Amino acid sequence: MAGDLILITGGTGLVGIKVIQLALKAGYSVRAAVRSQAKADAVLATPTVKAINPGSRLTFVIVPDILADGAYDEAVKGVKYIIHVASAVIKGEGFPPEQWEAEIIQPAIRGTSSILEAAYKTKGIERIVITSSEVAIIPWEEFIAKEVDTVFDDKYEIPFPAGPYSHIFEAYAAGKVRALVHTKEFVKEKKPEWDVINIMPSFVVGDNEMITDPKLISDGTVSAAFAQVLGGDSGWGAVPSTSIHVADVARLHVEALNPKIEGNQSFLAVSEGERGTRWEEAIDIVNRNFPEAVKNGIFPNNGTASTKRTKVDSSRTEKVFGFKFHNYEEQVKSVAKQYLSLVGAPEA
């Protein structure tokens, strides 16, 4: 393992930067695919990477457009493993429903197929770990709206949901379903020398060293937990009761490279068991753990959040990988601590 070269895509995002850091700590050499030199510089500037001081064990390859033909053909050469976290940056606000197929679903498929096809043309690769999502195996209506008694686990499968779609996020979910189906079909038909493991996170919450502006702390899925702490609302309505600490997601990606874990399977990443996450509990968590910051108004802690019950069981993942996921309290605390650090306030 020590020194084996991993190509990591999407390394400047919430999950990806943690994957890079953990892979370096584990002794791997990392080639990070980034969109620009500025992104590479930002990775090198993170406190954890600076502390590791990886030297030649961390290199970069510029891939400005992950959807371009042959985007990863050069990047994969000479690597033993690939951790594919990247996804297309899609801004759904500007797309009317008739464009969701072309602008949201197809990019999700092309991003995954690009890495698979590049790896297929290259010798010496042993395993690809792909960031999928829980929405790839949970029907949209049951996930976001309908209360059902079904407990979804990583053996659950759904067919590709054909449109029309009622919401931009439903189209996003459809893209994740199709990308997962495409991956399984690719492996079945091509029979590559490598295998694939799909990691399926829920709503990822946790600190992000790529963020240096406290105003951006509630970026992406973190807002489901933290917007209320800063006095706002995520704007998502009732959020499914599924969350996971970013540190756990990153750990799964790196430890999935272990050959003792059988390939060509998928693992859910959801904490709190069947009870699920209660998003609104972040208010109490912050009150208990950061009373002075609340008293001083650093955390207004008076926003709103609500939870939609969705039952997901990822206990098999914890059993196979041999560690217990952080609970929601630890997720919220990690974001709060980073925010206090960014604004120059003490944690106590």
Side-chain angles (χ1 to χ4, degrees), residues 4-291:
D4 285 344
L5 181 59
I6 312 171
L7 171 66
I8 299 177
T9 74
T12 59
L14 172 63
V15 173
I17 186 61
K18 275 282 196 295
V19 172
I20 289 176
Q21 294 165 349
L22 287 182
L24 291 170
K25 286 180 179 179
Y28 291 101
S29 292
V30 171
R31 178 186 297 162
V34 294
R35 298 176 191 270
S36 65
Q37 184 59 47
K39 293 288 190 180
D41 294 341
V43 170
L44 291 169
T46 60
T48 298
V49 171
K50 289 171 74 173
I52 295 169
N53 191 22
S56 61
R57 287 198 301 120
L58 175 59
T59 57
F60 296 90
V61 57
I62 307 298
V63 182
D65 181 6
I66 69 172
L67 303 182
D69 291 341
Y72 293 111
D73 285 1
E74 291 299 317
V76 301
K77 291 181 178 178
V79 307
K80 188 172 183 179
Y81 304 110
I82 298 170
I83 299 181
H84 182 51
V85 184
S87 60
V89 179
I90 301 298
K91 300 295 184 184
E93 295 86 352
F95 300 129
E98 61 268 20
Q99 292 183 14
W100 290 350
E101 172 72 27
E103 301 294 345
I104 297 174
I105 297 172
Q106 286 302 319
I109 302 163
R110 290 202 303 272
T112 300
S113 64
S114 179
I115 203 78
L116 297 175
E117 289 162 5
Y120 188 68
K121 294 183 282 188
T122 305
K123 296 295 183 183
I125 297 172
E126 294 187 3
R127 174 163 290 176
I128 302 175
V129 179
I130 297 175
T131 309
S132 180
S133 170
E134 62 180 347
V135 298
I137 59 170
I138 302 176
W140 167 256
E141 191 173 357
E142 283 85 343
F143 180 67
I144 205 75
K146 185 189 294 184
E147 294 275 354
V148 295
D149 291 329
T150 304
V151 179
F152 299 99
D153 60 23
D154 52 29
K155 300 301 182 184
Y156 206 86
E157 293 185 351
I158 58 175
F160 173 71
Y165 306 107
S166 61
H167 191 277
I168 191 90
F169 187 53
E170 184 180 8
Y172 165 84
K176 286 295 187 181
V177 175
R178 195 180 296 186
L180 178 62
V181 171
H182 175 79
T183 299
K184 291 180 177 180
E185 290 176 347
F186 188 99
V187 171
K188 182 178 180 179
E189 293 172 9
K190 301 283 190 179
K191 296 180 173 55
E193 62 180 9
W194 36 264
D195 57 29
V196 176
I197 287 182
N198 287 282
I199 303 297
M200 300 176 161
S202 49
F203 289 81
V204 182
V205 178
D207 59 293
N208 179 0
E209 288 188 3
M210 293 297 290
I211 290 177
T212 56
D213 182 350
K215 294 187 181 76
L216 303 177
I217 200 74
S218 285
D219 186 48
T221 52
V222 174
S223 67
F226 214 70
Q228 60 189 307
V229 176
L230 297 180
D233 183 297
S234 69
W236 293 357
V239 179
S241 57
T242 58
S243 71
I244 187 72
H245 198 302
V246 63
D248 293 331
V249 181
R251 183 176 177 181
L252 290 174
H253 280 75
V254 175
E255 294 190 7
L257 300 177
N258 187 339
K260 292 181 180 179
I261 295 177
E262 186 178 344
N264 296 327
Q265 58 178 327
S266 300
F267 293 97
L268 276 164
V270 184
S271 69
E272 301 284 9
E274 278 194 42
R275 176 189 184 274
T277 295
R278 300 291 191 271
W279 294 102
E280 57 275 13
E281 291 178 356
I283 297 290
D284 289 339
I285 291 169
V286 170
N287 277 329
R288 286 198 313 272
N289 290 280
F290 307 97

